[in-house]
Amino acid sequence: MNKQEIKTRILNLREELNRHNHNYYVLAQPEISDFEYDLKMQELISLEKQYPEFHDNYSPTQRVGSDISQEFTQVTHKYPMLSLGNTYSEADLIDFDNRVKKILGDEDYEYICELKYDGAAISLRYIDGKLKHAVTRGDGIKGDDVTENIKTIKSIPLSLTGNNWPDDFEIRGEIIMLKEDFNRLNNERIESGEATFANPRNLASGTLKMQKASEVAKRPLNCFLYHLTGANLPSNYHYSNLQTAKHWGFNIPSVIEIKKTITKVFDFIHKWDKEREGLPFEIDGIVIKINSLEQQKKLGFTSKSPRWAISYKFKAEQVTTKLLSIDYQVGRTGAITPVANLEPVRLAGTVVKRASLHNADQIELHDIRIGDMVFVEKGGEIIPKIVGVDKSRRNPTSKVLEYIKYCPYCGTELIRKEGEASHYCPNETSCPPQIKGKIEHFISRKAMNIDGIGQETIELLFDNNLVKDVADLYELRYEDLISLDRMAEKSVKNILQGIEESKNTPFRKVLFAIGIRYVGETVAKKLSQSLKSIDKIANSSFESLVAVDEIGEKIAGSITEYFSKPDNKKLIERLKKHGLNFEISEDEINKDEVLNGLSIVISGSFEKHSREELKELIEKYGGKNVSSISKKTNYLLAGKNIGPSKLSKVQKLHIPIISEDEFIAMIKSE
Ligand code: IVH
């Protein structure tokens, strides 16, 4: 290719990738597989690397985010970012409607009803169709420039499509995280021993302020846009402006309705109050806006908020009950979580007896005391939380709650590291709940996957002094187990067999299983691929760990700390003696992981490989073999005699079918 052809290829790839991003992230209608997308992206990355003269800040390759720490500069909003007047009652809405009527006199008017997304507000400024600034709300006048972070959100266009956009305008909206992504992220944090986030809103706004855009890129954020400002907007009506902005590439919510009367507005409110549980994201109310921009101008603003819009907030279902006592749970990494015991009370269909208090700060913030009548709410999560105290009902003799200083299980003095919300019990080797938690983690499905042992068995083994650390599992004998209460011969054999088989577990899973703080599944995989053995990891300096792709200072610090402790080294030596894998095996080394993140269903019979072999190949190259077809399936690897119901399902879901040969070509292509 000559230079001109290369430039054309680069421009075409950019245009194509932008379109596929939009199809996937905004329309949720991908036209190509993730695999094909990745190939195009790889090609563009390598062309841009070879020909730096064609660099463009707005290229889709620029969404990965830099890992250089940034400082946020303050930017003054061209138009202040006001908030809306809030109300919780329909009577207030009728008052609002009456005020509108009074000011507009005998003019007709209509309302636009939208959902009120519970996230972090953002203002995006586009000049000549390119994203120039993304600024947080801040104090409404000035906010932080978080453009680099925002660029990692794939549903936000870097360059606009179409052509009738104003030269200079702002579009505002909400950065949110889907409930599903929020729960997944929190579960991953639990698995890697990190503190969890309280709700999707905190997670979204915390992520926007992260200093490394590369970290933001790992968090699946989304953005809904709901407000255009600037001169020369395409229409004089809010509703049609948003519909037009859809064609410029923006993610405009599909729930937006025109209502001619306030009674119709109430219908909309009632409908969404009932149905909001089923939405994939959190909303905390409904926003009602006057459609005509001219009428908006006439209505104007009060000092704080527009007179042409109002938000109706849903009442979170809340009850009051008595706080009886607080338990302090100790996790496998020693993190302390305070849990409230409550006088049983009905809330959103279930009886609540316990609620999470998160950490010491939370207790201090609300000045929560034993015996208080507390407000309990159910948020997006399953465990209800205490959101405040009814101080008018407080017993005057009650005392400020003193947070525990010593571990309730082993008596060790607790520590609290700078910048961390949780207290920790540092007695890693002999604090009972930490030991039991570590063993539970070790045997769990994603780690050593030892069948036959559950939480109860661990308790039993621990209480009978048979297991005090994970290496003890490999020293268990038939005689030890059969003499235990309620232990039948069959279960003993199961347990011993499960333990024996676990010795074949690949290194990356063993590394995850030993439970180094912050070393979750993904990090363990990265480490095993790049450093290849536990000895190499143990002997790596902090600096060389940080040099590994995706390993940050926090993880590196935790790893060096782990291996600085003689007890941990001894444990590893013992596990080595029992034959666990502490080195990556030849066939685990998957050079480029061509199937990374892909989920593949196998069906039918094959000529060259057995189904078991195909399954292994999928996993070896970073993919996932799943048994049933769903929206999330990327490919159906089909052999002969595939069942008709499977076939019709993949056709309905537009899932590509690949043959055995095509599959082999795919993994050989790298
Ligand atoms: S309109 C001048 N529409 O709620 C009007 N806001 O207090 C600009 N919000 O700061 C806001 N969903 O962060 C608007 N559909 C929606 C919204 C929405 C959520 C947030 C936004 C705003 C706050 C209002």
Side-chain angles (χ1 to χ4, degrees):
M1 280 198 283
N2 65 30
K3 271 275 162 87
Q4 189 51 43
E5 284 165 343
I6 284 158
K7 188 174 175 191
T8 314
R9 179 71 189 146
I10 289 180
L11 293 179
N12 284 344
L13 281 168
R14 283 179 189 156
E15 192 274 327
E16 264 188 73
L17 286 163
N18 280 336
R19 188 157 41 82
H20 292 308
N21 260 338
H22 185 255
N23 286 342
Y24 188 95
Y25 290 99
V26 178
L27 306 178
Q29 280 170 346
E31 282 173 0
I32 59 171
S33 68
D34 292 3
F35 180 68
E36 290 166 286
Y37 178 91
D38 290 343
L39 285 182
K40 287 185 199 294
M41 183 60 95
Q42 286 310 330
E43 184 185 348
L44 181 57
I45 291 174
S46 87
L47 284 176
E48 286 181 353
K49 206 165 157 191
Q50 278 179 61
Y51 302 95
E53 60 270 41
F54 300 130
H55 171 87
D56 182 349
N57 260 333
Y58 298 95
S59 165
T61 55
Q62 300 301 302
R63 290 186 184 271
V64 287
S66 151
D67 61 357
I68 298 170
S69 286
Q70 44 177 336
E71 301 239 338
F72 301 115
T73 45
Q74 292 241 308
V75 174
T76 305
H77 296 293
K78 197 163 169 206
Y79 307 91
M81 273 181 94
L82 297 176
S83 66
L84 298 174
N86 276 336
T87 162
Y88 289 89
S89 80
E90 293 186 4
D92 281 354
L93 283 186
I94 292 178
D95 288 349
F96 167 78
D97 185 46
N98 285 335
R99 282 197 301 274
V100 168
K101 234 182 243 154
K102 203 164 148 198
I103 299 176
L104 295 182
D106 52 10
E107 287 177 32
D108 279 344
Y109 56 89
E110 52 191 19
Y111 291 117
I112 301 300
C113 289
E114 296 169 17
L115 303 179
K116 187 171 186 308
Y117 305 94
D118 199 7
I122 194 79
S123 185
L124 309 174
R125 184 163 175 192
Y126 285 82
I127 298 179
D128 295 330
K130 305 271 187 210
L131 174 66
K132 266 283 163 288
H133 285 301
V135 185
T136 62
R137 198 177 121 100
D139 60 4
I141 306 295
K142 272 199 240 119
D144 285 326
D145 183 339
V146 290
T147 316
E148 289 311 309
N149 289 350
I150 287 295
K151 277 167 82 177
T152 67
I153 303 176
K154 307 254 184 28
S155 59
I156 296 181
L158 302 181
S159 329
L160 302 183
T161 49
N163 49 18
N164 58 341
W165 22 263
D167 299 341
D168 184 353
F169 70 97
E170 285 185 29
I171 186 160
R172 292 177 177 173
E174 207 79 0
I175 305 292
I176 57 135
M177 187 173 288
L178 299 182
K179 291 178 193 168
E180 188 189 346
D181 289 329
F182 170 77
N183 288 328
R184 186 171 46 77
L185 232 89
N186 257 356
N187 285 338
E188 281 171 16
R189 288 175 76 91
I190 293 171
E191 276 173 12
S192 59
E194 291 176 80
T196 52
F197 295 101
N199 54 47
R201 176 175 20 91
N202 286 359
L203 179 48
S205 64
T207 304
L208 279 192
K209 299 283 180 61
M210 285 172 92
Q211 286 185 322
K212 290 186 181 168
S214 55
E215 292 294 312
V216 178
K218 289 184 205 153
R219 303 242 179 111
L221 293 176
N222 238 305
C223 178
F224 283 127
L225 294 155
Y226 46 64
H227 186 68
L228 271 174
T229 58
N232 306 323
L233 297 182
S235 152
N236 271 331
Y237 291 90
H238 170 67
Y239 184 88
S240 30
N241 276 333
L242 287 187
Q243 299 314 315
T244 307
K246 233 184 226 177
H247 301 293
W248 301 339
F250 291 113
N251 189 21
I252 306 291
S254 54
V255 179
I256 166 163
E257 286 179 26
I258 303 179
K259 301 286 172 199
K260 303 253 186 220
T261 65
I262 198 76
T263 335
K264 291 267 164 56
V265 170
F266 289 156
D267 294 342
F268 183 89
I269 290 177
H270 299 154
K271 172 179 151 95
W272 286 107
D273 196 2
K274 253 200 243 121
E275 291 180 15
R276 68 185 157 123
E277 277 291 313
L279 285 169
F281 42 80
E282 294 203 334
I283 61 169
D284 60 343
I286 296 297
V287 178
I288 301 132
K289 303 171 182 172
I290 285 285
N291 193 12
S292 149
L293 302 193
E294 274 178 29
Q295 289 179 336
Q296 286 189 3
K297 225 189 241 158
K298 243 186 226 169
L299 288 157
F301 296 84
T302 68
S303 61
K304 281 186 293 202
S305 48
R307 278 200 204 89
W308 46 264
I310 191 162
S311 83
Y312 174 90
K313 292 246 224 166
F314 296 130
K315 289 178 220 60
E317 216 180 318
Q318 196 181 69
V319 285
T320 326
T321 189
K322 192 170 183 172
L323 172 62
L324 302 174
S325 63
I326 294 178
D327 285 341
Y328 294 89
Q329 292 180 344
V330 182
R332 74 172 162 92
T333 56
I336 310 283
T337 311
V339 178
N341 292 310
L342 305 168
E343 209 157 71
V345 61
R346 276 198 87 78
L347 172 65
T350 53
V351 176
V352 173
K353 295 188 202 120
R354 286 160 77 76
S356 166
L357 283 164
H358 279 291
N359 51 45
D361 289 343
Q362 210 62 16
I363 295 177
E364 200 182 310
L365 178 74
H366 298 296
D367 181 19
I368 294 169
R369 306 180 186 188
I370 306 288
D372 272 348
M373 293 305 288
V374 291
F375 301 118
V376 184
E377 267 183 18
K378 250 188 195 172
E381 317 91 88
I382 301 143
I383 306 166
K385 54 189 170 214
I386 293 182
V387 293
V389 173
D390 186 350
K391 296 207 172 130
S392 68
R393 293 164 76 184
R394 171 171 280 170
N395 180 343
T397 63
S398 76
K399 284 202 222 74
V400 174
L401 195 129
E402 261 194 64
Y403 203 76
I404 49 166
K405 293 199 175 63
Y406 298 93
C407 174
Y409 296 91
C410 70
T412 308
E413 190 171 357
L414 302 181
I415 52 165
R416 191 178 195 181
K417 287 192 191 149
E418 213 181 295
E420 289 198 8
S422 299
H423 287 71
Y424 283 88
C425 166
N427 178 14
E428 283 171 34
T429 43
S430 46
C431 175
Q434 290 193 56
I435 297 173
K436 285 188 257 182
K438 282 193 176 85
I439 302 173
E440 260 172 51
H441 169 74
F442 185 81
I443 63 162
S444 64
R445 201 173 44 80
K446 289 180 178 170
M448 302 302 282
N449 192 17
I450 302 184
D451 271 349
I453 306 186
Q455 200 179 344
E456 276 176 33
T457 318
I458 294 173
E459 293 275 338
L460 197 66
L461 296 173
F462 181 83
D463 293 345
N464 284 282
N465 263 328
L466 286 171
V467 174
K468 289 271 174 258
D469 59 39
V470 296
D472 288 343
L473 287 172
Y474 295 92
E475 280 149 34
L476 284 172
R477 292 165 312 164
Y478 182 86
E479 304 80 66
D480 300 330
L481 295 172
I482 199 72
S483 59
L484 293 174
D485 250 11
R486 286 171 292 139
M487 202 47 106
E489 189 172 333
K490 192 155 174 242
S491 340
V492 173
K493 282 199 173 138
N494 256 344
I495 293 176
L496 290 173
Q497 193 188 342
I499 293 175
E500 193 53 36
E501 281 170 4
S502 77
K503 292 181 184 169
N504 299 326
T505 308
F507 173 48
R508 61 168 200 283
K509 291 195 176 185
V510 177
L511 183 58
F512 170 58
I514 58 175
I516 304 173
R517 201 166 165 219
Y518 303 136
V519 179
E521 243 187 317
T522 334
V523 172
K525 208 165 164 186
K526 270 269 160 276
L527 282 170
S528 75
Q529 283 291 337
S530 43
L531 295 173
K532 315 257 184 301
S533 75
I534 198 91
D535 293 339
K536 192 84 187 293
I537 297 173
N539 296 326
S540 290
S541 64
F542 176 84
E543 288 73 24
S544 46
L545 287 168
V546 172
V548 175
D549 186 28
E550 291 196 38
I551 308 296
E553 293 180 0
K554 199 171 74 175
I555 301 172
S558 164
I559 296 171
T560 44
E561 190 186 326
Y562 180 90
F563 288 106
S564 71
K565 293 184 182 152
D567 281 339
N568 290 334
K569 279 196 181 146
K570 261 187 237 153
L571 184 79
I572 305 271
E573 285 312 313
R574 283 172 62 210
L575 290 172
K576 267 189 192 168
K577 280 212 185 87
H578 289 296
L580 272 67
N581 290 319
F582 279 104
E583 273 176 32
I584 191 164
S585 65
E586 209 31 59
D587 49 284
E588 256 185 286
I589 304 178
N590 38 34
K591 281 134 214 120
D592 283 294
E593 302 212 342
V594 264
L595 304 181
N596 208 356
L598 296 182
S599 102
I600 302 178
V601 174
I602 306 178
S603 179
S605 54
F606 297 86
E607 281 171 11
K608 301 190 177 124
H609 298 272
S610 70
R611 288 169 66 119
E612 204 39 48
E613 282 168 350
L614 290 170
K615 177 172 183 242
E616 273 173 23
L617 282 171
I618 291 175
E619 280 166 7
K620 180 173 159 191
Y621 286 93
K624 216 163 71 184
N625 173 224
V626 286
S627 53
S628 63
I629 294 165
S630 74
K631 274 201 308 260
K632 291 193 184 139
T633 310
N634 299 91
Y635 293 103
L636 174 74
L637 171 49
K640 272 199 201 119
N641 304 326
I642 138 171
S645 73
K646 270 214 169 102
L647 208 53
S648 78
K649 200 159 177 194
V650 292
Q651 277 160 354
K652 212 157 95 206
L653 294 170
H654 302 293
I655 294 165
I657 301 176
I658 46 170
S659 68
E660 189 177 11
D661 287 340
E662 281 169 315
F663 173 73
I664 303 298
M666 217 159 141
I667 55 180
K668 291 249 166 80
S669 70
E670 286 288 315

